[in-house]
Amino acid sequence: MVFLNQAIRRWPYRTVLLILVLVLAGLVLSFATAGAALAADPTPTPAAADPSGIQLGTAQDLVGVAPGNLTADDFTRAAASEPFAVALAKLVNENRLGINFTWTLLCGYLVMFMQAGFALVETGFCRAKNAAHTMAMNFMIYVIGLTGYFLVGFAFQFGGVGLVGVPNLGGLAVLNHELTVNIGGIDWGVLGWKGFLLSDGTYDVAVAVMFLFQMVFMDTTATIPTGAMAERWKWTAFVVYGFFVSTLVYPVFGNWAWGGGWLSQLGKIGLGAGYADFAGSGVVHAVGGWCALAGAMVLGPRLGKFNRDGTPNAIPGHNLILALLGCFILAFGWFGFNPGSTLGASGNGTLRIGLIATATMLASAAGALVAMAYTWFTTGKPDPAMSGNGLLAGLVAITAPSGFVSPLNGFIIGAVAGLLVCLSVAFVERVLHVDDPVGAISVHGTCGLWGQLAVGLFADGTMNYGGTVVRGLFYGDAGQFAAQLIGAVTCFVYVFGLSYLFFRACDAVIGLRVPPEVELAGLDLPEVGVPGYAADAEPYRQPPTPPAMAPQPAPGPA
């Protein structure tokens, strides 16, 4: 182990080779295990993929979607007596799915653009000497995370979601294998097992839409720790982390909450409608926040952040303009994040997209206002940086309840988040002594937790997505709050625990942190080879030695 550690530290390219070998080995193991699991469990029913989209959108798909009490038998009888009506129903359903596909894809594009917002926020809140490194992490996590999610992450998360059904995208029947554990007569889902490389019978138009939309959600999670661990994280360790979070951390908890897993099934034992997380305060943000907390704890604070007595020193970012511009971009992208989680704009409660967007907007405003007021009252000045984080805190908190609450309750949830983020930043820094340059742990972890619990408090029961009604404690259902609490605790224990073990192991094998001299000089040139700003390259350049020159006579009188 010592030899391996030294070898990897000395030859970084071997680290890259090790990553590729591990990914390939994991891929082979996944397919081998999947084959064995499918052979032992013949439960999944065959479902033909539809890569052209020609077969998708039959009239029978309108059962449970169209108004009234239509059944499959109604369409069977109509096929003989009213063929034109059946053909027209098929066309209506094709248009419905076309609207939903287009809406979901456009919202996915908005969420993808949030990556630019994260990059600007984190780079602006960091120092100029680390600008290229921070920006590069935000850029490459998109590529690395996408690859890991494509290989195995999507299959782990949504491999069995078709058994539950996603009507707004045509059902996704080809995603039909969920590994389960039977306890108390209930098959509790623990992991999806179909959709590897989108090629194991999942070469399908609806699956592609689901993959794109969910992939950019995963990437939001993956980029959160890049802010909390900025300015001292070694590039090789960051690359390994990118595969870790996109294949194990995010997809597994995502399966439990969104893929038909056990948290979503808690309603079967009387706990409300089961754990509900409309757009991901928990699945996306708390997962990223708790992973960031584990990483920042193992990585340690930046040099000079804390005095010997533990008191913190401020290390200001280099460009507040970039940071606040990034906040605006994130707020814009969030209109894809939350309203897009209806997975459509036609049928099954999707017309609520306006209310979801309005609640999202109001929560962001309340968060920023409260954060501004808090810093103004406590320091005498309205801190723009904390106002920006307050805006993001409100957005994070409203993400889970946005589909279940009124605009007024959305404003209240955002206001609480604006206060929580200010208190949490001080707690993380002064009590936990964890260095988080951008406040990511507080924005996403603390306020993500608040968003999970807010569903169990403020959901008013007015929404109905495919028959699922969510009603919180303030509206008469204590069971829903219990389900949310179980989900929040599970999220922290699983994500923080697994991430802490990973970062410890990664630190022991390849090292997490750059050497002190690199951290002092800046990570840009040593780690990524280019400066963020041209002036920052000067300390690394040796001025040329001037050639020897013969003495010149002093000028005389003209």
Side-chain angles (χ1 to χ4, degrees):
M1 180 63 71
V2 173
F3 171 77
L4 178 63
N5 189 16
Q6 292 175 344
I8 293 176
R9 287 176 183 273
R10 187 172 179 181
W11 293 295
Y13 73 87
R14 294 193 179 184
T15 302
V16 178
L17 180 61
L18 177 63
I19 295 169
L20 296 176
V21 170
L22 289 175
V23 169
L24 181 61
L27 185 60
V28 172
L29 179 63
S30 296
F31 276 111
T33 309
L38 287 171
D41 180 7
T43 302
T45 55
D50 185 11
S52 67
I54 295 176
Q55 303 302 320
L56 191 67
T58 64
Q60 285 81 356
D61 288 343
L62 292 174
V63 173
V65 176
N69 298 309
L70 291 172
T71 66
D73 290 339
D74 292 329
F75 288 98
T76 301
R77 290 191 295 268
S81 60
E82 299 180 87
F84 176 76
V86 173
L88 185 61
K90 182 177 186 299
L91 178 62
V92 168
N93 193 44
E94 288 174 349
N95 287 336
R96 176 184 74 91
L97 292 176
I99 292 169
N100 290 348
F101 277 27
T102 301
W103 168 257
T104 305
L105 287 172
L106 285 174
C107 289
Y109 307 153
L110 281 174
V111 177
M112 185 271 178
F113 187 58
M114 290 172 67
Q115 201 70 27
F118 278 112
L120 292 176
V121 169
E122 294 178 13
T123 302
F125 280 148
C126 291
R127 289 166 290 184
K129 63 182 181 180
N130 301 311
H133 185 269
T134 305
M135 185 66 76
M137 285 196 298
N138 280 271
F139 181 84
M140 287 307 300
I141 194 61
Y142 172 77
V143 178
I144 297 167
L146 192 162
T147 302
Y149 197 66
F150 172 64
L151 293 175
V152 299
F154 178 74
F156 287 167
Q157 184 172 4
F158 290 109
V161 75
L163 300 174
V164 180
V166 185
N168 288 345
L169 296 181
L172 298 176
V174 295
L175 295 172
N176 59 3
H177 192 61
E178 175 84 7
L179 302 182
T180 62
V181 175
N182 189 285
I183 301 175
I186 299 174
D187 289 327
W188 300 95
V190 293
L191 194 68
W193 210 265
K194 195 171 182 185
F196 299 97
L197 281 83
L198 300 182
S199 61
D200 54 346
T202 54
Y203 179 24
D204 181 89
V205 289
V207 171
V209 174
M210 185 71 165
F211 173 83
L212 184 145
F213 187 72
Q214 296 298 338
M215 192 290 298
V216 291
F217 272 51
M218 177 282 305
D219 221 55
T220 298
T221 295
T223 201
I224 291 169
T226 63
M229 300 172 68
E231 302 201 284
R232 71 267 201 211
W233 199 359
K234 188 193 294 186
W235 187 262
T236 50
F238 155 74
V239 173
V240 177
Y241 151 80
F243 286 104
F244 165 72
V245 72
S246 61
T247 58
L248 289 177
V249 179
Y250 177 85
V252 174
F253 184 77
N255 173 267
W256 298 344
W258 287 348
W262 67 273
L263 283 175
S264 67
Q265 296 174 281
L266 290 176
K268 294 180 178 179
I269 58 174
L271 298 182
Y275 173 75
D277 190 349
F278 184 74
S281 292
V283 175
V284 177
H285 297 282
V287 167
W290 302 144
C291 183
L293 175 62
M297 288 176 65
V298 175
L299 190 60
R302 291 168 291 175
L303 297 176
K305 176 60 182 178
F306 294 105
N307 300 313
R308 290 184 182 274
D309 61 359
T311 55
N313 297 308
I315 303 179
H318 82 286
N319 196 323
L320 184 61
I321 308 304
L322 287 184
L324 291 182
L325 176 60
C327 290
F328 270 126
I329 291 175
L330 286 170
F332 175 67
W334 234 284
F335 290 117
F337 216 100
N338 289 2
S341 291
T342 59
L343 298 178
S346 175
N348 282 308
T350 57
L351 295 184
R352 196 176 172 92
I353 53 179
L355 283 169
I356 296 169
T358 299
T360 300
M361 177 184 285
L362 289 169
S364 69
L369 280 172
V370 170
M372 179 195 72
Y374 179 86
T375 56
W376 201 348
F377 178 77
T378 56
T379 69
K381 298 292 182 182
D383 184 356
M386 191 56 74
S387 298
N389 269 340
L391 178 96
L392 300 182
L395 289 166
V396 167
I398 196 59
T399 299
S402 60
F404 310 117
V405 302
S406 67
L408 175 58
N409 283 340
F411 188 85
I412 294 171
I413 291 167
V416 174
L419 177 61
L420 279 177
V421 73
C422 297
L423 299 176
S424 178
V425 165
F427 179 82
V428 168
E429 186 173 80
R430 297 179 181 276
V431 178
L432 299 182
H433 300 293
V434 172
D435 182 15
D436 179 357
V438 306
I441 297 167
S442 298
V443 169
H444 301 278
T446 302
C447 295
L449 169 62
W450 164 235
Q452 291 173 292
L453 299 180
V455 175
L457 296 173
F458 292 96
D460 57 19
T462 60
M463 268 314 301
N464 186 329
Y465 294 102
T468 300
V469 176
V470 181
R471 182 176 288 106
L473 179 63
F474 296 160
Y475 293 86
D477 191 351
Q480 187 63 51
F481 183 77
Q484 298 306 118
L485 185 61
I486 291 171
V489 172
T490 300
C491 180
F492 178 81
V493 171
Y494 173 72
V495 175
F496 179 82
L498 183 63
S499 299
Y500 189 84
L501 292 175
F502 164 77
F503 285 120
R504 280 293 184 193
C506 189
D507 191 38
V509 176
I510 62 176
L512 278 181
R513 189 165 182 148
V514 298
E517 59 273 17
V518 171
E519 183 178 345
L520 290 172
L523 277 64
D524 284 0
L525 283 170
E527 286 290 297
V528 297
V530 293
Y533 302 99
D536 292 330
E538 296 303 324
Y540 298 92
R541 295 174 179 164
Q542 296 297 325
T545 303
M549 298 180 63
Q552 298 296 315

